[in-house]
Amino acid sequence: MTARVIDGKAFAARVRAQVAAHVARLRDEHGLVPGLAVVLVGEDPASQVYVRNKGTQTTEAGMQSFEHRLPAQTSEADLLALIAALNADPAVHGILVQLPLPKHLDSDLAINAIDPAKDVDGFHISNVGLLGTGQKAMVPCTPLGCLMLLRDHHGSLAGLNAVVVGRSNIVGKPMAQLLLGDSCTVTIAHSRTKDLGAVCRGADILVAAVGRAEMITGDMVRPGATVIDVGINRVERNGKLRLVGDVDYASAAAVAGAITPVPGGVGPMTIACLLANTLTACCRAKGLPEPDGLTA
Ligand code: NDP
């Protein structure tokens, strides 16, 4: 079997177009422009690239982008004061504090200082609790993107066995919650899981969010399963730097029914879902109908 390739790049472009169309309607019918504020502390090169991409795509979707670049030595008090000002700013509907923060800053404190209604990353403890209890939450962008791809491929996910490898607060745990919310039978695997291969082979849906290049191999995949590869790893191959996932694509694609590639799978969905969350936050703040299909 050769797996169907789930094209996250094309899907993300459709999500961005849907967001842009909805934003245009908000502007025309309500004079409303959703705004996303991104806070970057320090000069981490990868974070600089992410923040630039977020800003560009926010503007392209017709929304307002507010970038706040603070020096690496910024104090906790100054960071919290900026977050408080953004919470109070009516032009800002979404706030994202780019992680990781420099070591002297407490990221939990910063995230939990964001107004939960503006927490478009879905990391605030209130949103974690709302998601965990099946209530309307702001949902973390990467797992939301994975869920959209899975719903698009399968239709209903009810009754499917899902295995999520990884239990981080950013990807693994919210992914598991979302799959449970869609009535999958969910297993969460991690570094202490015994016989990971056997656990993975029980999956109709296998989500890899491990951070280890190509560690999920074809022999760990049930024939016909859907494989979602969240991993982004930079490895050197033949003297060149390449991006690879947490899944060994060649061997897994030979067994799976469908698979996301790296790059071009889950990655592009993350910013698309950030835009979707910003739009959703704006609609909720104003009591307006939310866009279809862009929330959990
Ligand atoms: P973390 O490092 O926070 O979590 C990794 C998880 O994998 C942990 O729960 C860990 O288990 C588990 N793990 C590590 N080694 C093994 C192993 N040998 N067997 C089984 N489980 C293992 O990573 P993130 O969740 O933040 O990210 C995961 C991957 O997703 C990374 O490659 C990251 O770059 C990528 N990513 C991609 C995004 C995108 O936009 N596409 C966004 C966010 C992340 P334990 O808890 O026991 O230590």
Side-chain angles (χ1 to χ4, degrees):
M1 168 179 275
T2 302
R4 182 192 141 191
V5 179
I6 297 178
D7 187 346
K9 197 172 169 196
F11 197 95
R14 289 203 293 280
V15 170
R16 290 198 305 273
Q18 194 186 338
V19 169
H22 202 100
V23 167
R25 278 201 301 279
L26 283 184
R27 190 187 52 227
D28 294 347
E29 293 169 17
H30 302 277
L32 193 58
V33 181
L36 172 64
V38 177
V39 179
L40 174 63
V41 187
E43 279 91 40
D44 179 66
S47 295
Q48 305 252 12
V49 175
Y50 292 142
V51 167
R52 200 177 321 125
N53 288 343
K54 284 168 188 171
T56 308
Q57 293 192 29
T58 303
T59 313
E60 281 172 4
M63 303 198 266
Q64 263 192 295
S65 166
F66 306 96
E67 274 181 32
H68 296 271
R69 292 170 184 267
L70 306 180
Q73 62 276 16
T74 297
S75 70
E76 198 138 80
D78 284 349
L79 176 60
L80 294 178
L82 172 60
I83 293 170
L86 296 172
N87 284 341
D89 186 341
V92 172
H93 304 94
I95 302 170
L96 180 151
V97 175
Q98 183 67 43
L99 301 178
L101 288 171
K103 287 200 167 36
H104 68 284
L105 296 171
D106 181 341
S107 38
D108 286 339
L109 196 66
I111 298 301
N112 289 321
I114 298 172
D115 177 349
K118 296 189 179 189
D119 168 40
V120 282
D121 251 344
F123 297 159
H124 189 290
I125 193 72
S126 297
N127 282 313
V128 175
L130 289 168
L131 178 61
T133 49
Q135 300 179 69
K136 197 184 260 192
M138 294 307 302
V139 174
C141 302
T142 301
L144 178 59
C146 295
L147 184 73
M148 285 183 188
L149 293 176
L150 284 166
R151 283 178 176 168
D152 183 62
H153 180 69
H154 284 276
S156 169
L157 307 182
L160 296 177
N161 288 330
V163 174
V164 180
V165 189
R167 56 175 165 179
S168 73
N169 292 334
I170 293 174
V171 187
K173 282 184 200 150
M175 185 75 250
Q177 294 285 4
L178 289 171
L179 291 165
L180 196 57
D182 270 27
S183 298
C184 292
T185 303
V186 182
T187 303
I188 305 177
H190 47 76
S191 67
R192 308 291 292 273
T193 296
K194 287 184 187 155
D195 199 350
L196 183 64
V199 173
C200 290
R201 280 190 295 277
D204 303 308
I205 293 171
L206 179 58
V207 181
V210 190
R212 286 173 178 255
E214 299 174 327
M215 76 158 265
I216 305 289
T217 45
D219 60 318
M220 299 165 83
V221 176
R222 173 189 278 191
T226 301
V227 178
I228 303 290
D229 189 353
V230 181
I232 301 177
N233 307 287
R234 284 168 184 81
V235 296
E236 206 186 299
R237 291 282 149 79
N238 307 323
K240 284 188 185 157
L241 269 187
R242 279 194 51 202
L243 273 191
V244 299
D246 292 342
V247 175
D248 176 38
Y249 186 85
S251 66
V255 184
I259 188 166
T260 58
V262 177
V266 173
M269 291 300 291
T270 298
I271 298 186
C273 288
L274 174 66
L275 304 181
N277 276 352
T278 304
L279 172 60
T280 299
C282 178
C283 292
R284 287 181 186 170
K286 299 291 172 188
L288 294 168
E290 293 173 22
D292 284 336
L294 297 182
T295 54

